[in-house]
Amino acid sequence: MVFDLDLIKKTYAGMPAKVEAAKKALGRPLTLAEKILYAHLWDGVSPRDFQRGKDYVDFAPDRVAMQDATAQMALLQFDTTGRKKVAVPSTVHCDHLIVAKNEGKSDLSKAVSDNEEVYNFLSSISNKYGIGFWKPGAGIIHQVVLENYAFPGGMMIGTDSHTVNAGGLGMIAIGVGGADACDVMAGLSWELLMPKLIGVKLTGKLNGWTSPKDVILKVAGILTVKGGTNAIVEYFGEGATSMSCTGKGTICNMGAEIGATTSTFGYDESMRRYLEATGRKEVADAADQIKEYLTGDPEVYANPEKYFDKVIEINLSELEPHLNGPFTPDLATPISKMKEVAAQNGWPTKVEVGLIGSCTNSSYEDISRAVSLAKQVAEKGLKTKAEFTITPGSELVRYTIERDGFLDTFSKIGARVFANACGPCIGMWDRMGAEKQERNTIVHSFNRNFAKRADGNPNTLAFVASPELVTALAIAGDLTFNPITDTLINEKGEAVKLDPPAGNELPAAGFAVEDAGYQAPAEDGSKVTVDVKSDSKRLQLLYPFAAWEGTDLKSLKLLIKAKGKCTTDHISMAGPWLKFRGHLDNISNNMLIGAVNFFNEKTDLVKNQLTGEYGPVPATQRAYKAAGISSIVVGDENYGEGSSREHAAMEPRHLGVRVVLVKSFARIHETNLKKQGMLALTFANKEDYAKIQEDDNIDIIGLTNFTPGKPLEIVLNHADGSQDTIVANHSYNEQQIEWFKAGGALNVIRKQAGI
Ligand code: MIC
Ligand code: SF4
């Protein structure tokens, strides 16, 4: 079944003229990213040479995708806009709330009963507003989107940072907070800071043990977790076209880990093959007709330095398999160096568990290559040393790999197959013994490896690798095993080598599935009722946040000065907290509990300036709120890195934090703060971070003349009576200043709708 073919055809029909107009306006050839962006300018915005990294531009995305953990907040917000139906095709995917414990079937039925209230809410609100609903067990949002909705040259937004995965099928797909999704579903334009352009030229060809994952692990090592901020990464070259479409998806997926706005690849034969295999020949045929518009211009790829802000070249023929980690996805180590690096750092080298799958790496190709290694266990008389688990990305893939005997082969090495869901990747892993908090090492094919992310244990060191390498390391049980050079001792005492992985890009017998798990919305949803119980612990209707009081903000208490890495996992933890994603007050009890307090190096222990006592962050903030006192959070570099979860912005807003002042922000989080009516500020002089003291009362001056590009003044009133005045920059444009003044973007929409 092809979803929304009319939409795709319409986009393609308009694309050539729009791209030509942009070329004319800019007077030069265009990159693919530019073609897609300019073809999606909001009606009435005329193409001009927007300044990259400076100009905000209004766009018209073709579609919206939401996963269950973020959809709740997105749809609770949408529900307050007074609209009858979503303005663009949208979908909801139930994937984040399923705990991986034993195996897929029983884990899934437990999740269905544990989350009944939330699933019913999502299913009925989707039905009401014309949103396609993918039931629990159908698969992970990004895999399902790639299989069904992504199309070359399209533009979409999704309430999950890994929405970028769809770049593997030549889209511009961008992760956003729920409030952004709400705007687009309500028929409004969507604004984005015109991204910078990073070109990655891939030469040579992948071979042996190297896989697409290693390309992005290498890129992450080069660019680091913030190197892609406000940039689109465009891959091209012979190495790009020789790679599978799903492999391209993997590379784009993990672009989120370098902070990139998104990543993309030009339309090619691999995409055609994938579209055909997933039942979308019509889409491929339509794309073929305008194919020169679905890739960068030849002049651009011939002289990339002229057109991209930065160019990186990687020779795939020489690329080595990598292992990135622990605790950050950009700490890249080629497998040949792991012995040395692990010894230097004292990392435990025994691999306890190998986990494959997730939205990053669960294609048919990934699994077939991993299974080629699992087969060798019996053939070579080996025994798998570590535990091994698989989380398929979708029912389509799961059903097909079962039919093709792969799951059977995996079960022979003792593997457990979890439900088609996020599972361990998002901390929904009921790992036996994790509560003992022992120091241990795991390897996985996911994308993120922040502290506590997979099993909640801060002492688990997680390393990210390709599914093939994860399988080999699980067989060896050793982090330093280099399958290219090293041997394993089999049960007969012989030294054996693993053959390099081999697999199929697509299933020879085609994909198959019995029930993909899709539920279409009602034609007319106006009669559908959506029920939220007032005493529910999981769901809570939203109330509008208060508008700005019209004055400078005075005497804000410092709630916490966060030290070092402060990702959205530190601000609003996932795992067990996911169950409160639809209940703002309840989830606020996790606010910043993972952030390290600069003054005592502890997590979740801050000074209450009213009592002088130390206590948990949420309780301290609730005490300020009860006393009618506002507060400020101070942070370090790349604050809010990681997820799109707007809870990380809504919780502080709900509890009365007014300002977040940091050295630098991650893109999605900064926008989320603005959308919720918070002040997101950066130190004009990063050294001023040192001036913030534990007992500070802080004034924000200049708000009555809050203007784009004009810095604000911050007065630090220290406990000893002394003062420091520092300067804070901001990136608010006119529209965003309106959001601040109204108390949040949603209040602006409501006002426009007369609510
Ligand atoms: C993640 O990978 O961290 C998540 C869970 O998918 C998040 C979304 C969320 O927090 O719900 C993301 O990446 O945006
Ligand atoms: Fe789910 Fe993990 Fe993918 Fe996020 S990164 S969507 S948690 S599988």
Side-chain angles (χ1 to χ4, degrees):
M1 169 174 177
V2 186
F3 290 96
D4 309 309
L5 188 58
D6 290 352
L7 162 97
I8 299 172
K9 288 198 166 148
K10 196 168 144 231
T11 305
Y12 285 176
M15 200 145 175
K18 290 182 182 165
V19 172
E20 291 303 337
K23 268 196 196 182
K24 208 160 149 218
L26 274 65
R28 60 169 171 82
L30 299 178
T31 63
L32 167 64
E34 288 170 317
K35 288 184 186 177
I36 304 179
L37 291 173
Y38 279 92
H40 287 84
L41 290 179
W42 184 249
D43 224 8
V45 177
S46 30
R48 61 179 173 85
D49 203 353
F50 296 110
Q51 279 203 54
R52 313 204 284 251
K54 291 222 166 62
D55 288 340
Y56 283 97
V57 184
D58 283 340
F59 291 102
D62 299 309
R63 54 182 319 124
V64 173
M66 292 161 279
Q67 42 89 342
D68 49 3
T70 49
Q72 297 171 63
M73 231 10 124
L75 294 172
L76 283 165
Q77 294 178 73
F78 185 76
D79 200 36
T80 67
T81 62
R83 314 277 160 150
K84 300 250 169 315
K85 212 175 169 136
V86 287
V88 301
S90 305
T91 50
V92 164
H93 304 261
C94 296
D95 53 2
H96 277 64
L97 303 177
I98 302 168
V99 177
K101 184 170 187 192
N102 300 312
E103 56 76 46
K105 265 211 182 98
S106 57
D107 289 351
L108 177 62
S109 53
K110 180 158 189 321
V112 168
S113 85
D114 288 353
N115 302 309
E116 195 187 357
E117 184 185 4
V118 170
Y119 291 148
N120 283 346
F121 166 74
L122 290 174
S123 146
S124 57
I125 201 162
S126 299
N127 200 13
K128 182 174 174 79
Y129 292 125
I131 299 170
F133 179 72
W134 290 80
K135 295 182 230 172
I140 307 173
I141 174 169
H142 313 302
Q143 186 65 36
V144 174
V145 165
L146 197 71
E147 285 165 3
N148 295 281
Y149 299 111
F151 64 97
M155 180 175 191
M156 69 178 283
I157 58 166
T159 60
D160 189 283
S161 63
H162 294 106
T163 303
V164 293
N165 188 68
L169 205 35
M171 273 197 127
I172 290 291
I174 302 182
V176 298
D180 282 36
C182 183
D183 284 358
V184 174
M185 292 189 295
L188 305 179
S189 61
W190 177 67
E191 75 165 21
L192 177 73
L193 186 67
M194 193 65 176
K196 298 210 169 125
L197 302 171
I198 299 177
V200 180
K201 181 172 181 184
L202 300 178
T203 60
K205 201 165 186 258
L206 291 171
N207 57 75
W209 282 89
T210 316
S211 79
K213 182 66 159 264
D214 299 304
V215 175
I216 186 62
L217 293 178
K218 169 94 185 165
V219 170
I222 298 172
L223 288 177
T224 78
V225 288
K226 53 184 290 220
T229 308
N230 291 326
I232 295 185
V233 186
E234 183 168 328
Y235 293 85
F236 60 93
E238 50 172 6
T241 41
S242 65
M243 211 182 276
S244 67
C245 172
T246 50
K248 294 178 171 86
T250 298
I251 293 176
C252 293
N253 178 301
M254 244 192 105
E257 275 50 60
I258 55 166
T261 301
T262 191
S263 310
T264 195
F265 283 82
Y267 177 61
D268 65 14
E269 275 305 305
S270 74
M271 297 188 192
R272 161 169 264 288
R273 290 194 295 275
Y274 186 73
L275 284 168
E276 282 190 26
T278 49
R280 290 174 290 168
K281 184 172 177 309
E282 290 104 311
V283 179
D285 290 346
D288 279 346
Q289 284 173 25
I290 57 155
K291 59 173 185 262
E292 66 270 35
Y293 294 101
L294 302 177
T295 189
D297 284 329
E299 299 90 325
V300 169
Y301 294 157
N303 288 300
E305 287 78 12
K306 257 175 90 177
Y307 301 95
F308 291 98
D309 297 292
K310 185 184 178 101
V311 178
I312 295 171
E313 190 168 328
I314 297 177
N315 182 347
L316 300 186
S317 307
E318 290 166 4
L319 182 66
E320 243 197 273
H322 278 63
L323 269 168
N324 285 24
F327 305 122
T328 184
D330 57 352
L331 187 56
T333 308
I335 186 67
S336 61
K337 300 265 158 21
M338 199 33 131
K339 282 193 185 73
E340 200 181 311
V341 178
Q344 271 163 15
N345 289 286
W347 294 331
T349 55
K350 177 168 183 262
V351 172
E352 303 288 340
V353 194
L355 306 100
I356 65 167
S358 90
C359 66
T360 329
N361 267 123
S362 58
S363 65
Y364 187 86
E365 182 179 44
D366 288 335
I367 307 288
S368 70
R369 284 170 62 88
V371 92
S372 75
L373 298 167
K375 270 196 194 128
Q376 297 177 44
V377 171
E379 286 165 9
K380 304 198 171 181
L382 291 161
K383 231 185 134 111
T384 309
K385 299 263 177 46
E387 266 183 65
F388 192 69
T389 73
I390 303 147
T391 38
S394 71
E395 178 59 10
L396 185 76
V397 166
R398 195 211 61 79
Y399 190 95
T400 310
I401 59 174
E402 181 172 46
R403 179 202 66 193
D404 291 352
F406 297 172
L407 292 184
D408 206 39
T409 308
F410 280 129
S411 79
K412 292 196 179 115
I413 66 162
R416 266 184 307 158
V417 185
F418 291 140
N420 312 321
C422 301
C425 178
I426 188 53
M428 297 299 258
W429 183 21
D430 194 346
R431 182 181 177 194
M432 227 174 19
E435 69 290 347
K436 286 190 234 143
Q437 307 219 334
E438 284 162 352
R439 195 166 146 84
N440 77 104
T441 291
I442 63 172
V443 285
H444 63 57
S445 72
F446 312 158
N447 40 35
R448 293 198 172 138
N449 53 356
F450 304 140
K452 298 194 199 177
R453 182 166 167 103
D455 61 1
N457 173 3
N459 301 317
T460 293
L461 285 74
F463 293 84
V464 182
S466 68
E468 298 89 312
L469 191 61
V470 169
T471 311
L473 298 186
I475 294 170
D478 180 359
L479 187 71
T480 66
F481 172 67
N482 180 356
I484 302 170
T485 51
D486 297 351
T487 51
L488 295 169
I489 304 300
N490 72 5
E491 297 196 303
K492 289 192 219 138
E494 302 157 344
V496 293
K497 242 180 127 186
L498 292 175
D499 301 327
N504 297 322
E505 177 182 298
L506 294 161
F511 280 110
V513 70
E514 233 159 49
D515 175 10
Y518 176 69
Q519 173 187 299
E523 271 303 317
D524 172 12
S526 60
K527 304 253 152 36
V528 179
T529 52
V530 180
D531 202 23
V532 174
K533 294 197 195 71
S534 59
D535 62 347
S536 169
K537 297 210 164 34
R538 305 274 314 253
L539 296 165
Q540 184 185 43
L541 292 176
L542 291 173
Y543 64 94
F545 293 132
W548 171 55
E549 53 273 65
T551 60
D552 284 336
L553 301 180
K554 292 279 179 65
S555 267
L556 303 174
K557 300 272 182 219
L558 175 72
L559 175 63
I560 183 171
K561 172 165 157 177
K563 183 178 176 196
K565 212 177 188 49
C566 192
T567 72
T568 44
D569 278 0
H570 297 79
I571 307 171
S572 175
M573 227 164 246
W577 289 94
L578 284 177
K579 59 175 164 304
F580 296 125
R581 283 291 185 86
H583 196 296
L584 183 54
D585 194 52
N586 282 347
I587 197 157
S588 295
N589 290 329
N590 79 357
M591 187 183 75
L592 284 158
I593 60 176
V596 177
N597 179 357
F598 176 88
F599 299 105
N600 59 13
E601 307 261 327
K602 299 224 161 65
T603 54
D604 204 19
L605 198 67
V606 292
K607 186 167 181 181
N608 177 336
Q609 291 195 36
L610 301 175
T611 61
E613 277 163 23
Y614 284 81
V617 187
T620 307
Q621 180 56 34
R622 283 192 193 272
Y624 292 149
K625 185 178 185 183
I629 296 170
S630 301
S631 65
I632 173 170
V633 167
V634 171
D636 218 313
E637 294 281 5
N638 209 21
Y639 182 89
E641 162 187 353
S643 150
S644 68
R645 63 191 74 149
E646 63 196 325
H647 305 75
M650 292 179 90
E651 294 173 24
R653 180 73 172 105
H654 169 63
L655 293 184
V657 179
R658 302 294 297 275
V659 185
V660 180
L661 169 66
V662 300
K663 291 186 187 165
S664 63
F665 279 111
R667 175 189 62 88
I668 309 180
H669 186 62
E670 183 176 18
T671 309
N672 285 346
L673 288 167
K674 291 177 178 176
K675 283 251 147 163
Q676 300 301 339
M678 299 269 294
L679 266 186
L681 307 178
T682 50
F683 290 101
N685 176 2
K686 289 185 183 178
E687 270 95 67
D688 287 344
Y689 174 86
K691 296 191 178 141
I692 311 280
Q693 297 176 17
E694 195 171 24
D695 290 301
D696 278 355
N697 283 298
I698 298 176
D699 306 333
I700 314 289
I701 311 293
L703 289 174
T704 47
N705 187 18
F706 194 6
T707 318
K710 187 163 186 261
L712 295 168
E713 206 175 270
I714 297 196
V715 182
L716 311 174
N717 302 293
H718 305 304
D720 62 2
S722 67
Q723 272 190 346
D724 275 306
T725 299
I726 61 173
V727 177
N729 291 334
H730 69 82
S731 60
Y732 287 71
N733 60 21
E734 296 283 358
Q735 170 68 47
Q736 296 168 341
I737 291 175
E738 281 317 303
W739 300 342
F740 169 74
K741 291 186 173 162
L746 207 50
N747 291 347
V748 177
I749 303 188
R750 280 197 202 103
K751 219 189 286 163
Q752 285 161 358
I755 300 175

